[in-house]
Amino acid sequence: MTKIVADLDRCVGAGQCVLTDPEEFDQSEEDGTVVVLQDTPADDEALKRARVAVEICPSRALSLTE
């Protein structure tokens, strides 16, 4: 099972993940860092969107683990 992992120490709050996949990601109202809403993508389409979010994250704060 693939899981989405966020490194909040690396996150700069750019919000690209939220723009890419608002069903999986949000931003903290306190500091703008990523909030993972669902750490396990529900289906193949959700996994594809999560992969794109990981790839475009400017601070490389997101990753996928098996």
Side-chain angles (χ1 to χ4, degrees), residues 8-41:
L8 299 181
D9 291 330
R10 293 189 75 158
C11 181
V12 296
Q16 296 302 306
C17 54
V18 179
L19 293 172
T20 301
D21 190 359
E23 292 178 25
E24 305 280 341
F25 303 100
D26 200 353
Q27 286 181 276
S28 165
E29 290 189 22
E30 282 183 24
D31 59 6
T33 56
V34 64
V35 174
V36 179
L37 299 174
Q38 298 180 39
D39 66 351
T40 305

Side-chain angles (χ1 to χ4, degrees), residues 36-59:
V36 179
L37 299 174
Q38 298 180 39
D39 66 351
T40 305
D43 55 30
D44 288 341
E45 288 302 313
L47 181 57
K48 286 179 189 177
R49 290 190 306 271
R51 288 185 201 276
V52 171
V54 167
E55 289 297 317
I56 67 170
C57 178
S59 62

